[in-house]
Amino acid sequence: MKEKVVLAYSGGLDTTAIIPWLKENFDYEVICCCVDCGQGEELDGLEERAKLSGASKLYIEDIVDDFCDNYIVPCVQAHAVYENKYLLGTSMARPAIAKKLVEIARKEGASAICHGATGKGNDQIRFELGIKALAPDLKIIAPWRMTDVWTMNSREDEIEYCKQHGINLPFDASHSYSRDRNLWHISHEGLELEDPSLEPNYDNLLVLGVTPEKAPNEGEYVTMAFEKGVPKSINGEDMKVSDIIRKLNELGGKHGIGICDIVENRVVGMKSRGVYETPGGTILYEAHQQLEELVLDRATYEMKEEMGNKLSQIVYEGKWFTPLREAVQAFVESTQEYVTGEVKFKLYKGNIIKAGTTSPYSLYSESLASFTTGELYDHHDADGFINLFGLPLKVRAMKMQEVEKVQK
């Protein structure tokens, strides 16, 4: 009886070519698993293609709600942003996919999992750290790192290899952007983006929306409600998180929101340039933060900012299934107890403009913040506060004066 391998299958040229390659070089029974994180039409025709290529079985696993509720929401609550720009669209999805691959491998009694990530990127790390954490006994096959066996170096090579194995596929050798898409975002790499001195060709590149220049000339008001840091409704309509993201993607794309051109530092050490479209995610992050400004005290807000940065690094590096991620997430969740309320904003040509925030747990006091003296604040109290708060500065200045006198 042949050993089984579960292949993380996207239906693209790379993972399609891997199917006959696995059978030819390892004599595996290949079971394809496509994990649906909201790729949309990219899943069309996968079953026929996988079977045509020699797979014995194809699983298409819908984990959209799991992805949204258990991976996206914790990152939104933490305001986890990698290098101040990247909203972790691919990074958050990889551990969710790895978990499902392990589940299918266990179900099928497979001895190995294979992925098509290259040896230069972050995804190989994210997939493999997830698999190692959940199933340390499973073998991991990464063809692009096995250069003694995997001899294909281009799309032309892969297409020719498939033809030699009787597989005629609807792919051509023309080069295009390298993209990764899920419900949260779409990433673009390649072509002119490989030269940081060149402006992206947005007319050819954008998929989820338009540039701010092409957005409507009229702004659009949106109201969102949150409960304990979790988004619950848009414009008064209750929705599950995945539907909220879909609606925000539509609104954000329409108004040119969430286009990010970044040169980021990959885990493997190199810099890479890409463009991310995260229209709904950008709105969701901003709306959540607007509410937190109102309800979190200063010290908690400062510490939470540090924890958000730490979580972004943890997720980016593929360390989701670790005690550290659990601990950081536990801290963040504790801060969300009173992040409940309503946020209103206007979308206009790439901008998210505040239009009013309310919460029953607001720490904002109009009587304290206004220029009119209220009962809780006596202006004279500031004298003593400033004297104590500025004491270290004053003592240092006095000592410096003494030193200067001695030197003279």
Side-chain angles (χ1 to χ4, degrees), residues 23 47 53-54 60 87 110 114 131 139 150 180 182 184 190 208 222 244 251 268 281 289 312 342:
K23 296 177 68 176
E47 185 162 5
S53 305
I60 297 180
L87 300 188
C114 178
I131 295 166
K139 186 188 303 181
W150 179 269
D180 178 78
N182 57 45
W184 185 248
L208 300 181
V222 179
I244 285 175
L251 292 168
V268 294
Q289 191 168 43
S312 73
E342 193 170 87

Side-chain angles (χ1 to χ4, degrees), residues 126-146:
R126 295 165 183 156
F127 281 135
E128 295 186 32
L129 263 59
I131 295 166
K132 289 177 187 295
L134 299 173
D137 55 301
L138 290 180
K139 186 188 303 181
I140 299 172
I141 300 174
W144 280 97
R145 299 204 304 263
M146 303 170 69

Side-chain angles (χ1 to χ4, degrees), residues 155 187 232 284 380 382:
R155 290 179 65 85
S187 64
K232 292 296 182 180
L284 188 51
H380 295 98

Side-chain angles (χ1 to χ4, degrees), residues 9-10 34-44 46 60-69 71-72 89-90 92-94 96-97 179-187 207-208 240-243 245-247 249 277 279:
Y9 187 62
S10 68
C34 176
V35 183
D36 181 7
C37 297
Q39 295 94 305
E41 66 274 5
E42 292 181 12
L43 302 179
D44 295 345
L46 284 196
I60 297 180
E61 298 291 304
D62 183 346
I63 65 163
V64 172
D65 286 328
D66 175 48
F67 175 45
C68 293
D69 297 340
Y71 296 85
I72 289 176
T90 303
M92 293 185 293
R94 294 321 189 213
I97 293 171
R179 291 184 165 108
D180 178 78
R181 182 175 184 174
N182 57 45
L183 187 68
W184 185 248
H185 87 153
I186 184 167
S187 64
V207 173
L208 300 181
K240 61 182 180 178
V241 176
S242 58
D243 286 338
I245 293 171
R246 289 186 182 95
K247 182 62 178 178
N249 276 336
E277 292 182 76

Side-chain angles (χ1 to χ4, degrees), residues 11-12 20 34 49 55 68 95 105 120 138 151 153 177 181-182 224 237 261 287 320-321 339 356 363 382:
C34 176
R49 191 177 306 159
C68 293
K120 285 187 175 182
L138 290 180
T151 56
N153 296 307
Y177 294 106
R181 182 175 184 174
N182 57 45
M224 289 189 65
E237 183 180 352
D261 182 352
W320 186 275
F321 300 108
V339 184
L363 299 181

Side-chain angles (χ1 to χ4, degrees), residues 95-136:
I97 293 171
K99 183 179 179 182
K100 182 55 67 175
L101 291 172
V102 169
E103 288 179 13
I104 299 301
R106 295 301 194 208
K107 179 178 178 179
E108 287 288 339
S111 59
I113 292 176
C114 178
H115 65 79
T118 73
K120 285 187 175 182
N122 295 316
D123 282 343
Q124 57 180 338
I125 299 167
R126 295 165 183 156
F127 281 135
E128 295 186 32
L129 263 59
I131 295 166
K132 289 177 187 295
L134 299 173

Side-chain angles (χ1 to χ4, degrees), residues 287-332:
H288 179 265
Q289 191 168 43
Q290 286 182 21
L291 184 56
E292 280 195 332
E293 289 175 1
L294 208 61
V295 301
L296 294 186
D297 64 273
R298 177 182 175 185
T300 302
Y301 195 91
E302 288 177 351
M303 181 55 68
K304 184 177 170 293
E305 189 173 32
E306 291 184 29
M307 291 295 100
N309 289 333
K310 174 55 69 175
L311 185 62
S312 73
Q313 183 182 6
I314 291 169
V315 177
Y316 189 84
E317 294 178 352
K319 298 176 180 177
W320 186 275
F321 300 108
T322 60
L324 179 56
R325 191 274 304 169
E326 293 173 1
V328 172
Q329 186 175 330
F331 168 81
V332 171

Side-chain angles (χ1 to χ4, degrees), residues 176-181 186-194 198-211 214 258-262 273-278:
S176 61
Y177 294 106
S178 174
R179 291 184 165 108
D180 178 78
R181 182 175 184 174
I186 184 167
S187 64
H188 312 267
E189 294 179 343
L191 298 185
E192 79 277 359
L193 301 180
E194 293 184 347
L198 297 179
E199 180 181 9
N201 186 351
Y202 286 117
D203 287 339
N204 290 337
L205 183 149
L206 296 179
V207 173
L208 300 181
V210 298
T211 59
K214 293 185 176 181
I259 301 168
C260 172
D261 182 352
I262 181 176
R273 195 259 189 116
V275 170
Y276 296 103
E277 292 182 76
T278 321

